[in-house]
Amino acid sequence: MFSFAHIAYLLLLLLLIPAAILFVFNKRWKKKTKKKIGDEQLVDLLTANHSKKKFSVKFYFILGAMALTALGAANLRTAGKAELVNRKGRDIVIAMDVSKSMLADDVKPTRLDKAKQFATKLLDQLPDDRIGLIWFAGKAYLPMPLTADQGAAKLFIQSAAPDAVPTQGTVVGEALRLAVESFPQDSKRYKIIVLITDGEDHDDAAERMAKELKDRGILLLTIGLGSLEGSAIPDPETKNYKKDKFGQTVITKLNEPLLKQLAAVSGGLYGNLENTDDMLKDVIATINQVEKKAVEGEVSPTNYNNYFMWFLLGALLLLIAELFISERNKPATVVAKKKG
């Protein structure tokens, strides 16, 4: 049975409507302009080398390419042979702070780079677990829901940057809430959240969410980045350090008391990411204490036959063909029109 993987992209087909309307208005405008000039036969003679038919064909080719592109983006697919897997593991959501304070270099090379290194190494130690990713600053976003695709997770981790979340701040509470919502409610797996942040400028909901995690049986591991002395925040655009409204250089410090409190309230673990390998050992040891539960009857995520490439190939061929269609009439056709 056919279905679309990303049905929302079918809305792009609505763009065909204004394109068609524009084409119709263009034809009407040409007719009105021709009548305004007065001598229609003279206009026909002057434009005899222009083919209206070929102009229409070129438009239809472009319109067809637009339609095929939209269908390709929606990804028409059919269900392939379903494979049942017996996978053991846990659901782990890594919530990473990507606010501008994470660009501070009191942790080399920067706090954010250190967080990426740690998260990537952590994935290597969790081959049987599903991983989800959350980026947060002044808002929290879910760039990648829970998946067993380690390669995709690593690519997302490397792409983490402050511009991924335009709103600045550190909404730890919202990040934890989004992590909770990203866990399947009917899953029997154990649930773990790895929070990586400097904890600065946090929201008041953080401690309340930590308590809720404990009530829900979700393990929270808080990983701190930064120094207690603090560091200036480099601005990638100006190449200078960030300043406040009074012109003073902003110093960002690790909010260690908050992260320790969150770990204590939730019954989890806190650690400072001074040494990646040492922190990794502590985190893995804690995670491995969580019993692994088998999930029977899980369907393989690769059991679809995708056809998006054929639509995109068709769109490409139409665009190439459109380039080779000239709007000019052949000389013989022009001469025939002149004689008429």
Side-chain angles (χ1 to χ4, degrees):
M1 183 177 179
F2 288 96
S3 64
F4 287 101
H6 310 289
I7 196 168
Y9 284 114
L10 292 178
L11 292 175
L12 293 174
L13 292 173
L14 295 176
L15 295 176
L16 302 181
I17 298 175
I21 293 175
L22 184 63
F23 176 71
V24 172
F25 273 104
N26 177 266
K27 294 185 69 174
R28 290 183 178 180
W29 173 79
K30 287 181 178 180
K31 288 182 179 180
K32 290 181 179 180
T33 303
K34 182 178 177 180
K35 291 181 179 180
K36 287 182 180 180
I37 293 176
D39 193 338
E40 295 187 22
Q41 290 185 346
L42 177 60
V43 174
D44 290 337
L45 184 62
L46 294 174
T47 60
N49 65 338
H50 180 266
S51 173
K52 297 178 182 179
K53 184 177 180 180
K54 290 182 179 180
F55 175 78
S56 298
V57 170
K58 286 171 68 71
F59 170 76
Y60 295 141
F61 274 32
I62 294 175
L63 205 65
M66 291 173 61
L68 290 174
T69 300
L71 292 172
N75 188 16
L76 184 67
R77 62 185 185 178
T78 57
K81 183 180 179 181
E83 297 179 0
L84 297 181
V85 297
N86 183 359
R87 188 191 301 278
K88 292 183 178 181
R90 298 141 298 198
D91 287 340
I92 301 174
V93 172
I94 300 174
M96 186 184 297
D97 187 347
V98 295
S99 60
K100 289 186 177 180
S101 65
M102 293 289 285
L103 297 177
D105 58 2
D106 51 354
V107 175
K108 301 300 181 183
T110 67
R111 296 177 184 177
L112 184 58
D113 289 329
K114 190 80 168 181
K116 291 180 181 181
Q117 293 172 6
F118 172 78
T120 301
K121 288 187 175 183
L122 179 61
L123 260 60
D124 291 333
Q125 302 295 319
L126 305 171
D128 295 325
D129 301 302
R130 294 192 303 189
I131 305 297
L133 299 175
I134 288 177
W135 305 154
F136 69 94
K139 292 284 185 182
Y141 294 94
L142 182 73
M144 192 189 78
L146 287 166
T147 178
D149 190 340
Q150 296 272 343
K154 289 180 179 180
L155 287 175
F156 274 106
I157 288 172
Q158 293 307 313
S159 68
D163 57 8
V165 183
T167 307
Q168 287 303 301
T170 309
V171 287
V172 174
E174 183 177 335
L176 295 178
R177 177 192 58 77
L178 183 58
V180 172
E181 293 177 353
S182 67
F183 289 120
Q185 297 301 313
D186 57 348
S187 175
K188 301 302 181 182
R189 294 180 177 222
Y190 282 96
K191 303 174 180 65
I192 301 168
I193 299 174
V194 180
L195 177 68
I196 308 175
T197 178
D198 55 25
E200 194 172 51
D201 298 329
H202 71 286
D203 56 326
D204 297 332
E207 291 186 32
R208 185 173 68 253
M209 281 303 307
K211 186 178 185 307
E212 183 176 336
L213 293 180
K214 184 177 182 180
D215 296 338
R216 289 173 174 261
I218 300 174
L219 178 64
L220 174 63
L221 308 178
T222 59
I223 312 298
L225 283 152
S227 62
L228 300 179
E229 297 77 18
S231 173
I233 305 173
D235 188 331
E237 296 181 359
T238 64
K239 306 301 181 182
N240 294 319
Y241 290 113
K242 184 180 178 181
K243 299 183 181 298
D244 59 21
K245 60 181 179 181
F246 302 107
Q248 300 296 317
T249 300
V250 176
I251 301 298
T252 172
K253 300 179 181 180
L254 168 64
N255 191 348
E256 197 166 60
L258 167 71
L259 301 181
K260 286 183 176 180
Q261 179 67 13
L262 295 180
V265 170
S266 65
L269 167 76
Y270 166 74
N272 191 310
L273 193 57
E274 294 176 333
N275 185 291
T276 301
D277 292 333
D278 289 345
M279 189 71 257
L280 188 63
K281 290 178 183 178
D282 292 340
V283 169
I284 293 299
T286 303
I287 291 178
N288 284 338
Q289 292 175 5
V290 178
E291 179 185 356
K292 293 187 177 183
K293 286 193 172 181
V295 179
E296 302 286 348
E298 184 179 354
V299 179
S300 169
T302 57
N303 65 333
Y304 283 101
N305 300 315
N306 299 300
Y307 302 103
F308 68 91
M309 70 289 293
W310 298 110
F311 290 96
L312 297 182
L313 177 62
L316 179 62
L317 292 176
L318 284 177
L319 291 175
I320 293 175
E322 185 273 336
L323 291 175
F324 285 94
I325 298 176
S326 172
E327 294 182 29
R328 298 175 63 87
N329 275 317
K330 293 180 179 180
T333 306
V334 175
V335 172
K337 287 185 177 181
K338 288 182 178 180
K339 288 182 178 181

